[in-house]
Amino acid sequence: MKKLLVLFILAAFVSVLYPLYSSFHGSTGLTEVSQFYASKENIEKVNSQNLVTAVVVTYRGLDTLGEVTILFLTAAIIAFFLKKESDKRTLRKNSEIFKTAAKLLIPIITMLGIYIFINGHLTPGGGFQGGAVIASAVILMFLAFPNMEFSHKFFESLESVSGLVYVGLAAFGAILGLGFLDNAILPLGKFGELFSAGAIPVIYSFVGLKVGAELSNILHKFKSVQADN
Amino acid sequence: MEFKIITTLLGILMLAMSFIAIYHKKMIVAVIATGAVGLFASIMYLFLAAPDVAMTEAAIGSGLSTIIFFYVLNRIRQNDKEGRESDEIDEIPNK
Amino acid sequence: MEYITITTGFLIILAGLWAIMTRKNLIRIIIGFSLFDTGIHIVMVSMAFVKGGVAPILDKKELLTDTAHKIVDPVPQALVLTAIVIGLGVTALMLAYAMRLHQEKKSLDIESFKDLKW
């Protein structure tokens, strides 16, 4: 009986999805909105080489703000649910090779993350990718040195400060009369250089720092509830 | 043409991995298979001309989420050991 | 090529839904949600693909003229980019819930949580 119900729900879902699938014949062109974003005057107005970054930071900047808020909320609720259990854990010692390699690799991975989000408007990448790479450096630190003092106060304050700067920069555009999250509050620069696209690299760097600190906080919460083994 | 063959292979591999993720008895293998689905998906995004999405998926879908799953599995296993001697995490006995 | 990927995406969505509805283990259900997420992202990126288009990064001179006919759609890609990060947050939240539930009931079986059943 239960299996029959499940199959019925699945069939209903398929019948909802099937028209979408059968009407798909491969896109032949961009939608109207994307054509507007990819028109010559708008590319010159935003001056960002990477169009995805331009969409994420400028055209759809409010979506990104909401997304960062959702991430903050999930981190807060996770912190509410997971209570810290023990400070020091007795663990099997890590091997010397792993520790030395981790010491060598953690700065390099962090630097790669920062590189990714600083160059977000020129090459593939940006705040979200760079933040995730920084969080993976933090995870390597947790695995290599489980008992090391980790000041989550630092990450919390970094996250709050970058969030504030992000909203402040966004509001600054509105104060200047250009619009919320407009990138023309800084000089636009020459197309294709590091200092171009106005405020996009600055805003995306703060988004990257915020996402990295947020994900590191979530990981730290999950680590701190582990018991001895 | 080569892209089509590679994409078809990737699709078959992803479906096989999701089957493993749903039906394998050991939970650890299932979690690893979920990470593999994310990894193949990131290669697929690269073929679909979306390098930004591919980078995000490679870092998050197959890296961080797998680690979070493992932390949770470790904690639940420790809880089980404190309580009683059943390895319920891998398989729930049929009643 | 986009037909192959969109088919894969829809099949993975169905696999995730099947896992959510038939499995009993909470962690397995969360894996189902994760698969569902991946499937939706693949479908959205496949719909953005334009035959013969290049990635929307204008690092060559010839891409600057008549851009709209040479690149793939950047808007769904931007949406998927944020959706992946939200997906990680939601997965972590579900896992934290599962951990708390297991601490209360010492069980991961979905059938043992009957407090709200009437």
Side-chain angles (χ1 to χ4, degrees), chain A residues 100-110 137 140:
Chain A
T100 315
K103 265 182 205 158
L104 187 72
L105 280 176
I106 288 167
I108 297 177
I109 296 175
T110 314
L140 182 59

Side-chain angles (χ1 to χ4, degrees), chain A:
Chain A
M1 185 62 210
K2 224 169 195 173
K3 273 262 180 333
L4 213 67
L5 192 66
V6 167
L7 279 176
F8 178 72
I9 293 174
L10 213 62
F13 197 72
V14 169
S15 68
V16 170
L17 283 185
Y18 185 72
L20 193 66
Y21 178 68
S22 60
S23 67
F24 177 74
H25 298 296
S27 319
T28 47
L30 270 62
T31 56
E32 221 166 299
V33 182
S34 314
Q35 275 177 10
F36 174 73
Y37 293 160
S39 66
K40 197 158 172 49
E41 54 266 39
N42 277 315
I43 289 173
E44 272 162 13
K45 215 165 115 191
V46 176
N47 220 9
S48 161
Q49 207 173 64
N50 189 342
L51 276 184
V52 179
T53 300
V55 172
V56 168
V57 179
T58 305
Y59 297 120
R60 299 286 172 117
L62 272 178
D63 286 7
T64 311
L65 193 61
E67 191 271 332
V68 171
T69 316
I70 291 175
L71 205 59
F72 170 74
L73 277 179
T74 50
I77 299 171
I78 287 169
F80 174 72
F81 268 110
L82 304 179
K83 296 271 159 44
K84 195 170 183 182
E85 299 215 334
S86 59
D87 264 341
K88 287 261 188 225
R89 294 197 286 153
T90 46
L91 291 171
R92 195 162 48 84
K93 268 217 157 52
N94 282 323
S95 77
E96 203 58 45
I97 298 173
F98 179 39
K99 278 198 219 165
T100 315
K103 265 182 205 158
L104 187 72
L105 280 176
I106 288 167
I108 297 177
I109 296 175
T110 314
M111 200 179 72
L112 177 71
I114 292 171
Y115 171 83
I116 286 174
F117 65 63
I118 284 180
N119 282 295
H121 59 302
L122 299 177
T123 50
F128 297 111
Q129 295 92 326
V133 170
I134 287 178
S136 60
V138 172
I139 224 20
L140 182 59
M141 197 174 83
F142 286 162
L143 292 179
F145 315 104
N147 279 330
M148 204 172 80
E149 287 292 317
F150 176 81
S151 87
H152 66 104
K153 274 276 181 296
F154 169 70
F155 273 90
E156 268 166 23
S157 45
L158 177 69
E159 185 249 308
S160 333
V161 167
S162 19
L164 264 180
V165 172
Y166 176 37
V167 178
L169 274 174
F172 192 59
I175 290 168
L176 285 184
L178 293 162
F180 195 72
L181 275 167
D182 200 289
N183 69 326
I185 54 173
L186 291 177
L188 284 179
K190 197 164 165 281
F191 186 82
E193 282 180 359
L194 181 58
F195 292 103
S196 69
I200 284 182
V202 184
I203 291 177
Y204 224 9
S205 298
F206 282 109
V207 171
L209 283 176
K210 187 165 163 58
V211 170
E214 206 93 73
L215 295 180
S216 311
N217 245 336
I218 292 178
L219 290 168
H220 180 245
K221 283 281 158 5
F222 273 104
K223 174 186 166 269
S224 66
V225 295
Q226 309 288 311
D228 283 350
N229 58 348

